[in-house]
Amino acid sequence: MKGQELDAWLASMVSLLQPKEVVWVHGGEEEHQKVLQALVKEGVATPLNEKLRPNSFLFRSDPRDVARVESRTYICSDTQEEAGPTNHWMAPAEMKEKLLPLFKGVMQGRTLYVIPFAMGPLSSPFVKCGIQLSDSFYVVANMALMTHVGDKVLAKIKESSFVPCVHSVGAKGSDAKWPCDPEHLVVAHFPREREIWSYGSGYGGNALLGKKCLALRIASVLAKDEGWLAEHMLIVGITNPEGEKKYFLGSFPSACGKTNLALLTADLPGWKVETVGDDIAWIRPGKDGRLYAVNPEAGFFGVAPGTSWQSNPKAMETIARDTLFTNVALTSDNDVWWEGMGVVPKQPVINWLGETWDGKSKAAQPNSRFTVSIKRCPTVDPAWDSPEGVPISGILFGGRRSSRVPLVMESQDWTQGVLYGAALSSETTAAAEGAVGQLRHDPFAMLPFCGYHMGDYFAHWLSFAKLPNLPKIYVVNWFQKDSEGDYLWPGFGANTRVMKWIFERSKGEHEGKKTAVGLLPQEEEIDVKGLSLKEGAMKQLLAFDKDGWKEEAAELQNYFKRFGSHFPSALTMELDKWAKQ
Ligand code: GTP
Ligand code: SPV
Ligand code: MN
């Protein structure tokens, strides 16, 4: 929508939503502090121990509103064909008919917050702006950390355009601390109109509309039209002991390790890791034929459980202050706690539901999260908000695979690498509703986030093949298990060892061993000095399971049938090689 249309749009939305007042978000630290204090006063936020965790707050959601709801997320393109087989679809007019009664008068007695926000550095030619209308003060507090908000963005919008984002937690008239309406929840995207409407949830990707809704689902459609890529990827800078620096992208499904790799603490002497982004990358070809990536976000909305001083010290440092926590447990000294934090909590512990913890059930909700500005990261990359982005030397695809998929392998060319992305599958996590631990296809970790036909999306990726300076593409898997169900690979800091091999491969080092599915490292090429690994672990981690891959190929051939004529024949041919090896 054009900037000049803003006033008329807002007036029409106010008459639809019927709030008791309209409050603009201007941005800035002073306003952010006022928002937090008001949330405390309303009893929505609990201030944490000022000495242990300064300027940090705990929120508890309604227990029915704890994760993204993929089953109620819609792509409302003109035709179902455009949305493709991986998205829920409804015709735009039909969806509007469904939405209008839900939104009509929903904000009666509530404040409507108007949040002008920018995804990407404001000075970047690639920035995309939105205006989120919301009746959630919690959303206001989160958006201030996750995006650039306020008057500067509004000024930009006025001279350009914005994506209208209408959000309500629903439950008209409810005086609950965390109102929501799970029964009628709907997150609707209109790719042609470039609009987002979200009703019924105040949590994460359902409610912070700049993130998955704009920066991935709507942006993926813009990217296809304009010749770039909007991806569910981390961006990390790695410097070797000789001082050479390279940037990498990593695509992992939700709760499969992006934040952890983005904030990796190198466990090898002389290696340095810096963070550009932990969830989303906008990637464009530069004039030199290389790919450049920008992080459209300004903060982390990271998974709390599993984060510890052992596994991810940089994340622990990042969230040491100025952080919002949602659905974690509260210790008796007013600090936060979660499973896998690696410390014993001060008892009694109050669990995420606000009850005294029984010591047996989960104290923190498995998808409990922290929200924090990227500027709090001790090793934020100096180029994290570079308007042009950072040049990319390698792209990683990884999922949770307990067997078959090796620790790392390298594609022989772009087409095989695109097949790595298309073939990605992973065991499901708590980041979305539904069962956990079930293997599902999640192409490019974009299954819940691609705003158009996934077959066309594969073709769009292939269309970059002609660029002269493409990065190499890798599969990684930190999650192989042994026969006792234990992880074979220590993961976390030890992933430095895999990044080292990838880094050195991009300089032409290491020979590896060729297979039909890609190049695997020879055992001695991975530096495992100082790691405590089970006997034979590396052999298993780097094994090429030929029969397993044939089976994988057959299963993929079957899966890809759903994309029909949209499925690129180049991928069919590549996959044939895997099946017939
Ligand atoms: P989203 O924010 O949902 O997109 O997730 P993400 O991909 O950023 O996942 P994140 O890094 O937050 O990791 C999710 C969970 O996986 C956490 O509980 C981590 O502790 C765990 N994890 C991350 N990296 C590793 C690893 O190398 N090995 C093992 N075993 N677990 C890991
Ligand atoms: C994900 O689920 O991939 C997330 C969390 O990054 S949310 O913002 O809730 O989508
Ligand atoms: Mn994510």
Side-chain angles (χ1 to χ4, degrees):
M1 194 173 280
K2 292 247 160 51
Q4 301 98 296
E5 297 170 74
L6 168 58
D7 292 344
W9 171 71
L10 184 58
S12 74
M13 287 302 113
V14 169
S15 82
L16 173 69
L17 304 165
Q18 301 166 20
K20 75 167 194 282
E21 57 174 349
V22 176
V23 171
W24 282 83
V25 171
H26 300 289
E29 190 49 33
E30 204 179 310
E31 179 187 69
H32 185 54
Q33 288 306 323
K34 277 192 191 146
V35 170
L36 293 170
Q37 289 316 319
L39 280 160
V40 170
K41 207 164 158 211
E42 285 170 21
V44 180
T46 306
L48 296 171
N49 187 320
E50 193 55 34
K51 286 212 184 81
L52 298 176
R53 215 167 289 271
N55 192 33
S56 299
F57 300 83
L58 168 67
F59 296 83
R60 291 192 190 103
S61 79
D62 183 296
R64 300 168 300 166
D65 189 21
V66 296
R68 283 184 297 98
V69 182
E70 295 180 2
S71 60
R72 305 285 189 85
T73 299
Y74 290 85
I75 300 298
C76 304
S77 35
D78 290 337
T79 63
Q80 184 160 14
E81 175 97 7
E82 285 164 88
T86 56
N87 282 309
H88 299 290
W89 174 83
M90 201 181 277
E94 196 187 336
M95 178 55 87
K96 283 279 165 76
E97 251 174 62
K98 185 182 157 96
L99 291 171
L100 291 179
L102 291 173
F103 280 94
K104 193 166 177 203
V106 73
M107 296 193 191
Q108 281 170 18
R110 292 182 190 163
T111 301
L112 162 60
Y113 300 99
V114 183
I115 318 168
F117 68 91
M119 303 310 290
L122 260 184
S123 60
S124 168
F126 312 128
V127 67
K128 302 276 180 231
C129 296
I131 295 194
Q132 178 161 354
L133 306 182
S134 179
D135 49 9
S136 166
F137 216 23
Y138 168 82
V139 163
V140 174
N142 276 267
M143 288 293 282
L145 294 175
M146 294 302 298
T147 71
H148 312 274
V149 298
D151 293 341
K152 280 192 201 133
V153 182
L154 183 62
K156 171 105 192 164
I157 285 174
K158 284 195 170 152
E159 65 190 37
S160 56
S161 63
F162 67 101
V163 175
C165 304
V166 189
H167 170 247
S168 172
V169 293
K172 181 174 167 178
S174 161
D175 57 4
K177 291 258 187 301
W178 186 285
C180 60
D181 186 359
E183 266 172 58
H184 302 102
L185 190 152
V186 51
V187 185
H189 307 74
F190 298 85
R192 186 165 48 77
E193 298 83 352
R194 290 176 194 167
E195 272 180 40
I196 300 159
W197 292 69
S198 169
Y199 174 90
S201 166
Y203 203 87
N206 299 329
L208 309 176
L209 302 187
K211 194 171 177 56
K212 305 301 179 171
C213 300
L214 197 163
L216 286 177
R217 298 194 191 96
I218 296 290
S220 63
V221 177
L222 302 178
K224 176 174 156 274
D225 294 347
E226 299 169 5
W228 52 284
L229 296 161
E231 300 299 324
H232 192 202
M233 289 180 176
L234 68 95
I235 313 168
V236 69
I238 301 191
T239 308
N240 72 3
E242 288 72 48
E244 225 178 320
K245 183 166 188 179
K246 294 177 187 287
Y247 290 96
F248 299 90
L249 296 169
S251 163
F252 298 71
S254 300
C256 289
K258 289 182 300 301
T259 304
N260 278 272
L261 190 58
L263 294 164
L264 177 72
T265 299
D267 76 343
L268 285 172
W271 288 78
K272 189 164 97 179
V273 182
E274 289 161 296
T275 308
V276 178
D278 82 325
D279 198 49
I280 302 177
W282 286 353
I283 309 158
R284 288 179 175 74
K287 290 189 188 78
D288 55 1
R290 295 186 77 179
L291 293 179
Y292 286 77
V294 165
N295 171 15
E297 300 192 280
F300 306 139
F301 182 63
V303 176
T307 310
S308 72
W309 286 105
Q310 292 76 40
S311 67
N312 193 344
K314 284 186 190 171
M316 292 299 277
E317 216 180 306
T318 305
I319 62 178
R321 56 175 305 144
D322 307 330
T323 304
L324 311 181
F325 295 89
T326 309
N327 288 343
V328 301
L330 184 68
T331 61
S332 66
D333 54 353
N334 250 356
D335 199 5
V336 289
W337 191 80
W338 47 77
E339 278 69 24
M341 200 195 216
V343 293
V344 179
K346 283 250 161 62
Q347 303 281 352
V349 169
I350 308 295
N351 71 11
W352 69 278
L353 296 161
E355 300 156 350
T356 306
W357 182 44
D358 61 9
K360 289 188 265 269
S361 55
K362 297 264 189 234
Q365 209 282 336
N367 190 39
S368 52
R369 296 208 173 225
F370 52 78
T371 316
V372 64
S373 163
I374 190 171
K375 291 186 193 139
R376 287 278 323 130
C377 174
T379 49
V380 63
D381 195 273
W384 84 269
D385 60 351
S386 141
E388 303 296 329
V390 295
I392 298 303
S393 297
I395 304 177
L396 282 61
F397 291 102
R400 288 177 183 267
R401 292 294 300 263
S402 52
S403 61
R404 188 175 295 161
V405 179
L407 182 62
V408 55
M409 64 181 187
E410 177 189 282
S411 69
Q412 75 197 19
D413 56 22
W414 187 255
T415 305
Q416 191 177 51
V418 172
L419 182 58
Y420 284 180
L424 191 62
S425 55
S426 187
E427 285 141 26
T428 50
T429 67
E433 91 278 24
V436 167
Q438 288 176 356
L439 191 63
R440 76 163 178 179
H441 290 281
D442 191 347
F444 288 81
M446 283 288 280
L447 181 75
F449 308 121
C450 181
Y452 62 98
H453 197 297
M454 189 67 89
D456 296 342
Y457 168 91
F458 298 156
H460 183 50
W461 262 86
L462 286 173
S463 75
F464 289 82
K466 54 186 180 298
L467 288 176
N469 280 317
L470 285 166
K472 286 207 160 88
I473 300 182
Y474 298 83
V475 161
V476 296
N477 179 21
W478 317 142
F479 299 97
Q480 267 196 80
K481 288 182 177 167
D482 64 16
S483 52
E484 278 134 45
D486 295 324
Y487 288 122
L488 276 164
W489 179 247
F492 303 104
N495 297 336
T496 311
R497 319 304 179 105
V498 175
M499 295 313 297
K500 176 175 186 274
W501 187 77
I502 290 174
F503 189 107
E504 290 167 349
R505 277 295 300 159
S506 75
K507 302 200 312 166
E509 294 172 27
H510 303 302
E511 225 174 283
K513 52 182 185 211
K514 278 203 179 116
T515 77
V517 298
L519 186 93
L520 277 88
Q522 296 174 22
E523 227 178 287
E524 60 280 8
E525 291 173 359
I526 302 281
D527 183 349
V528 294
K529 233 178 287 137
L531 292 184
S532 61
L533 294 162
K534 278 193 188 170
E535 181 72 32
M538 283 315 285
K539 201 170 166 52
Q540 196 174 331
L541 283 161
L542 299 177
F544 172 54
D545 175 5
K546 188 170 168 181
D547 291 337
W549 278 103
K550 282 172 126 171
E551 215 173 277
E552 185 92 4
E555 204 282 319
L556 281 164
Q557 283 170 330
N558 190 40
Y559 172 69
F560 290 147
K561 277 186 196 147
R562 73 196 59 202
F563 302 113
S565 61
H566 295 259
F567 192 75
S569 54
L571 294 185
T572 307
M573 287 188 306
E574 183 60 38
L575 188 54
D576 272 353
K577 292 187 211 156
W578 292 13
K580 291 188 185 132
Q581 59 180 303

